[in-house]
């Protein structure tokens, strides 16, 4: 049960980090002359880093099997995000870009988990 709590906390912290970073990025877009062409790249970077942070947090506190728990946090993160997008969009279709994003975010969670379990 304790491991589940750490995984869910890592997932929650990754979403908090995502929301905070997206808010800062939105303010940056609003009050500067940066074009909106960077939105796709920035959102990919933000979700990737957030999943890595969630995997890092979970495996740092669990202290074992960092790759497995990091992959789990990353996969849960992107699946929950896809469910939110599915509910928000009127015409949702699974595309190859989404599969790449699932792979990228899951792997970044795994990398964060490996780093977290080895962090002293």
């Amino acid at each position: 049960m304790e491991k589940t709590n750490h995984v869910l906390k890592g997932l929650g912290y990754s979403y908090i980090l995502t929301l905070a970073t997206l808010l800062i990025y939105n303010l940056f877009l609003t009050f500067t002359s940066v074009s909106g062409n960077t939105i796709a790249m920035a959102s990919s970077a933000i979700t990737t880093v957030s999943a890595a942070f969630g995997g890092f947090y979970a495996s740092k506190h669990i202290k074992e099997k960092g790759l497995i728990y990091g992959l789990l946090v990353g996969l849960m993160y992107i699946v929950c995000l896809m469910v939110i997008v599915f509910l928000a969009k009127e015409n949702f279709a699974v595309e190859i870009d989404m599969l790449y994003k699932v792979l990228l975010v899951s792997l970044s969670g795994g990398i964060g988990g490996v780093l977290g379990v080895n962090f002293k």
Side-chain angles (χ1 to χ4, degrees):
M1 188 67 174
E2 185 177 328
K3 292 177 184 177
T4 306
N5 286 338
H6 290 305
V7 168
L8 292 177
K9 279 184 183 180
L11 184 63
Y13 286 145
S14 64
Y15 275 117
I16 290 170
L17 179 64
T18 300
L19 290 174
T21 312
L22 284 175
L23 177 65
I24 292 168
Y25 179 68
N26 187 15
L27 291 172
F28 184 72
L29 280 176
T30 302
F31 295 115
T32 62
S33 61
V34 175
S35 69
N37 297 335
T38 61
I39 293 174
M41 181 67 78
S43 67
S44 291
I46 289 169
T47 54
T48 303
V49 169
S50 296
F53 176 75
F56 180 87
Y57 176 86
S59 66
K60 184 176 184 294
H61 291 281
I62 294 173
K63 296 182 175 116
E64 66 179 12
K65 299 180 185 174
L67 181 62
I68 302 297
Y69 289 113
L71 283 171
L72 182 64
V73 170
L75 190 61
M76 288 172 60
Y77 176 86
I78 194 66
V79 167
C80 290
L81 196 60
M82 287 177 66
V83 168
I84 291 169
V85 170
F86 171 73
L87 294 173
K89 276 190 157 183
E90 220 173 271
N91 51 357
F92 181 79
V94 176
E95 299 171 355
I96 194 73
D97 293 343
M98 293 177 127
L99 298 176
Y100 289 139
K101 195 165 214 170
V102 167
L103 184 65
L104 176 69
V105 170
S106 298
L107 286 177
S108 71
I111 291 169
V114 169
L115 293 175
V117 81
N118 291 315
F119 191 75
K120 300 290 179 198

